[in-house]
Amino acid sequence: MKNRIGGKTEAGVFQGLSVYYCHNTHVAEVADITMEDGVPSVKRVTCAVDCGIVVNPFGAMNQIKGGVLDGIGHAMYADFGFVDGVPKSNNFDSYQMIRMGQTPQVDVYFIESDIDPTGLGEPTLPPIGAAVANAIYAATGNRINKQPLINNLEPKEKVLG
């Protein structure tokens, strides 16, 4: 099955792309999702990062994966709602964060470079929300512009084939 990005995916897998630049670092992320009973599930994220020379590959990989997973949690589930100036949620039993069972595989690719190292802690978090929203659009044809994404799905969305 040909996807909107131009590659091939398995049937029922939809992709969304987002690119981002900050702290002199370029990031591109592709989110692969499936729709399960009308709810998106992020299965894989492919992340390409141009951050100059990678001094500590293990540490860099952990920062990138942590940013991606934290970003998915915020984009999909984080509801920072307030009523009359008081938070709607005051504990984790009523405020959802990403759960271990919801974490996708994250594949990271560094662009080889000979420039000085640049930022790495922040640049991978912001683009994942847009990549997931774009994957949801690829799956359903519905554009979601408000987070948390999970609370703004159209009822009984039809998955495009």
Side-chain angles (χ1 to χ4, degrees):
M1 167 181 199
K2 189 130 175 119
N3 63 38
R4 293 177 189 230
I5 295 172
K8 295 193 184 231
T9 60
E10 299 174 27
V13 176
F14 302 91
Q15 292 185 317
L17 168 70
S18 180
V19 296
Y20 188 69
Y21 174 79
C22 76
H23 297 84
N24 289 331
T25 296
H26 296 270
V27 176
E29 295 177 351
V30 176
D32 291 13
I33 70 163
T34 59
M35 296 298 288
E36 299 168 10
D37 295 323
V39 177
S41 177
V42 183
K43 299 299 184 184
R44 170 180 272 173
V45 175
T46 305
C47 185
V49 179
D50 184 355
C51 60
I53 296 170
V54 178
V55 176
N56 178 347
F58 184 71
M61 188 81 63
N62 285 332
Q63 281 189 301
I64 291 166
K65 289 182 178 186
V68 168
L69 295 179
D70 198 27
I72 291 170
H74 287 295
M76 291 287 288
Y77 311 110
D79 189 357
F80 299 115
F82 291 84
V83 176
D84 297 326
V86 177
K88 289 193 295 187
S89 300
N90 62 7
N91 202 341
F92 292 118
D93 65 339
S94 58
Y95 175 84
Q96 184 176 347
M97 297 178 73
I98 192 168
R99 310 281 200 260
M100 290 298 291
Q102 296 166 322
T103 60
Q105 176 179 332
V106 180
D107 299 325
V108 177
Y109 299 91
F110 293 103
I111 305 300
E112 289 190 30
S113 176
D114 60 357
I115 65 170
D116 291 342
T118 60
L120 198 54
E122 294 83 5
T124 60
L125 189 150
I128 192 60
V132 172
N134 286 334
I136 293 169
Y137 174 71
T140 66
N142 295 320
R143 186 69 72 189
I144 301 175
N145 300 346
K146 187 174 178 188
Q147 294 179 351
L149 301 174
I150 206 80
N151 291 353
N152 292 289
L153 296 168
E154 302 249 343
K156 298 185 181 181
E157 293 182 347
K158 180 181 177 188
V159 176
L160 303 175

